[in-house]
Amino acid sequence: MTAQAPGPAALVVFILFFAATILLGSTVNWWRAHRPAHGADKSEEWGLGGRQFGTWVTWFLVGGDFYTAYTVIAVPALVYATGAFGFFALPYTIIVYPFVFLIMPILWRIAHDGGHATAADIVRARFGSRPLELAIACSGLVAVMPYIALQLIGIRTVIASLGLPGEIPLIVAFVSLAAYTWLGGLHAPALTAFIKDIMIYIAVLAAVTVIPLHLGGYAAMFATAAAHLPRPQGNHALMAGQAVPYATLALSSALAAFLYPHTLTGVLAARSADTIRKNAVMLPAYTLLLGLIAMLGLMAHAAGIVTTHSSSVVPMLFLAIFPDWFSGFCFAAIAVGALVPAAVMAIGAANLVTRNIVTGRGNDVGAARIVAFGVKLGALACVLFLNAQFAIDLQLLGGLWILQTFPALVLGLTRIRFPARAMLLGWAIGTVFGTYLCFQDGLKPTHVLALGGVHQAVSTGLLALLVNIGVVAVATLLVPRRRTETTQPV
């Protein structure tokens, strides 16, 4: 079974749903019933939605910017290429929610009481250090660009699957994202996250029901897929040597997930700390959806999809199984699924620049919009110039950088009085060390260590974080605290 060329119906349906979502999000500030009161902070309204999102809006918003094109394009692509190893995304989305339940309400309370909008704001308040604030802000800014690039790849992939030639799909992806974010602010993804999730659920539930029926059931599907993938020894699901990288990638991804500017923006936009706790309990429902989506990579093998461009696996599968009109709907769901989180990412990065890097522009909505546009240009450069083997590598590269903010943001919540200079030194060495290893390994997310004659691959991000924490611990013992440094207890 091979993917068919899409007919006009696919393009028409795609344009209808994708354009409608962009139009709805771009005009939300013109027609929504609630408007900021006179004298309200317009930048906070644009960048944090006025901090008034309740349980359901927060659930859709955080779920919408956490489960992205990474979910629908990159995870099935990795499963298609590597088999069971690609399922590492499932345990990490389980590990992360106790972390959210315990830590994020504390960060929300600190941010709410101090009027903070970013991780760098919180770190500045905790440590009283401008250099550390800049370091955290720069990490968030740089880390989010390859993540936005992954969303652009997702939109470009489905548009290219509709038959548009050359770089037109990438241009359409970039322009649509820029307009959607510029005009709508955070209210745009908050509103359209509802639409995105409904569309994704329809597409995925149809896929996991209809496609196995076409392939003779799940047992036949798994048997056929197994014949196309490397076969592990014995009864193991993973190949020899994959268990440690599988576990360490899951752990490092879990620790990084809610440190990104976009996920933290969704958390800080919540109405209360209790709203965040409720969401930590409810969000694992998305993990079930992620498991179903990951199986699309196996279904592609069973359906006879053959390609060296793994990011195209899901669109090719849909074109091979579904009628044109429903393929167009599924492509629109994937594109909207990339558009919503990419907008939140750009807004979170803009908050960092206007509040922490370029001081004095925190209330300037125009400056925030320009910065968000610049961040998307940076993401476009990542698409064009970073040669990642799998689209998922772009997300893991950003995870390496954002993990280096973990000590200052999370360990800084403890009552241990870490000096700001120790945190800054750990951040610098961890970032340089991890980036060097990553580029030395060709943007692979793991690095091979030789321990006692045994070569073992380990998550590069986790290695860099351990180096970071080790430096912080040693420097805390050796570096005297300056009188100007303050570490406020929780």
Side-chain angles (χ1 to χ4, degrees):
M1 187 180 300
T2 58
Q4 304 297 319
L11 183 60
V12 170
V13 172
F14 173 83
I15 292 174
L16 176 65
F17 281 93
F18 190 53
T21 303
I22 294 174
L23 181 63
L24 189 64
S26 300
T27 59
V28 62
N29 286 323
W30 296 348
W31 56 261
R32 65 187 178 88
H34 169 72
R35 295 184 180 275
H38 178 70
D41 187 339
K42 292 183 179 179
S43 66
E44 185 165 293
E45 188 71 24
W46 185 85
L48 283 177
R51 301 181 194 256
Q52 289 299 312
F53 294 151
T55 300
W56 284 108
V57 175
T58 301
W59 187 71
F60 279 103
L61 179 62
V62 174
D65 63 41
F66 189 35
Y67 295 87
T68 66
Y70 163 83
T71 308
V72 187
I73 293 291
V75 172
L78 189 62
V79 171
Y80 177 85
T82 66
F85 184 79
F87 281 87
F88 84 89
L90 268 72
Y92 111 63
T93 57
I94 296 171
I95 296 169
V96 71
Y97 293 119
F99 174 80
V100 173
F101 187 90
L102 294 172
I103 301 299
M104 290 300 136
I106 300 174
L107 291 177
W108 182 92
R109 177 171 58 81
I110 294 171
H112 182 268
D113 293 345
H116 308 315
T118 67
D121 283 349
I122 296 171
V123 168
R124 181 190 62 229
R126 303 291 290 168
F127 291 95
S129 170
R130 173 64 176 160
L132 187 57
E133 174 194 4
L134 280 172
I136 301 303
C138 289
S139 288
L141 178 63
V142 175
V144 84
M145 286 186 186
Y147 214 157
I148 297 176
L150 178 58
Q151 313 315 311
L152 290 175
I153 288 174
I155 301 173
R156 179 183 67 177
T157 298
V158 295
I159 295 176
S161 298
L162 291 168
L164 295 181
E167 294 300 329
I168 292 177
L170 186 58
I171 295 171
V172 172
F174 178 80
V175 172
S176 59
L177 174 60
Y180 178 82
T181 310
W182 184 284
L183 297 173
L186 194 62
H187 283 287
L191 172 68
T192 52
F194 291 88
I195 302 171
K196 170 249 184 189
D197 285 349
I198 292 171
M199 292 176 67
I200 288 288
Y201 265 106
I202 291 173
V204 172
L205 291 177
V208 299
T209 304
V210 174
I211 295 176
L213 290 177
H214 274 265
L215 302 175
Y218 272 97
M221 183 197 78
F222 282 122
T224 306
H228 291 84
L229 290 167
R231 197 169 187 85
Q233 297 177 349
N235 295 319
H236 296 289
L238 294 170
M239 298 290 291
Q242 286 186 335
V244 173
Y246 180 96
T248 55
L249 279 176
L251 179 58
S252 61
S253 297
L255 294 177
F258 276 80
L259 302 178
Y260 283 101
H262 60 285
T263 45
L264 198 57
T265 294
V267 167
L268 298 185
R271 182 177 298 159
S272 67
D274 193 48
T275 297
I276 299 167
R277 294 187 185 94
K278 290 178 181 177
N279 271 269
V281 174
M282 295 163 55
L283 279 168
Y286 278 98
T287 302
L288 173 62
L289 180 66
L290 176 59
L292 298 176
I293 291 172
M295 285 198 298
L296 295 176
L298 300 178
M299 294 178 190
H301 277 299
I305 301 298
V306 179
T307 179
T308 57
H309 185 53
S310 58
S311 295
S312 300
V313 163
V314 172
M316 291 176 68
L317 176 64
F318 287 165
L319 286 172
I321 300 293
F322 293 130
D324 282 347
W325 69 268
F326 193 72
S327 294
F329 173 83
C330 293
F331 289 175
I334 296 171
V336 172
L339 188 71
V340 169
V344 185
M345 293 171 195
I347 291 166
N351 288 339
L352 285 171
V353 174
T354 57
R355 294 181 66 95
N356 305 113
I357 296 177
V358 181
T359 57
R361 304 302 295 270
N363 296 325
D364 190 340
V365 177
R369 284 172 168 160
I370 293 171
V371 170
F373 182 78
V375 169
K376 290 186 280 287
L377 284 176
L380 183 63
C382 289
V383 175
L384 295 174
F385 300 116
L386 285 182
N387 183 25
Q389 181 182 3
F390 300 108
I392 200 170
D393 290 347
L394 293 176
Q395 186 266 346
L396 294 170
L397 177 61
L400 183 155
W401 290 327
I402 203 65
L403 260 179
Q404 307 317 308
T405 69
F406 182 92
L409 189 61
V410 178
L411 298 185
L413 297 176
T414 67
R415 294 185 177 274
I416 301 174
R417 296 176 61 82
F418 294 104
R421 286 182 291 170
M423 285 290 183
L424 185 60
L425 184 62
W427 167 86
I429 293 177
T431 300
V432 172
F433 174 75
T435 303
Y436 171 76
L437 290 184
C438 188
F439 279 88
Q440 185 186 49
D441 296 332
L443 292 184
K444 292 181 180 178
T446 58
H447 179 75
V448 177
L449 295 177
L451 300 174
V454 177
H455 290 78
Q456 183 62 65
V458 181
S459 164
T460 306
L462 192 61
L463 283 176
L465 177 61
L466 292 175
V467 169
N468 184 338
I469 293 174
V471 171
V472 169
V474 172
T476 298
L477 297 174
L478 299 180
V479 176
R481 179 183 299 278
R482 291 176 176 173
R483 291 186 179 182
T484 57
E485 291 181 0
T486 59
T487 304
Q488 302 295 328
V490 177

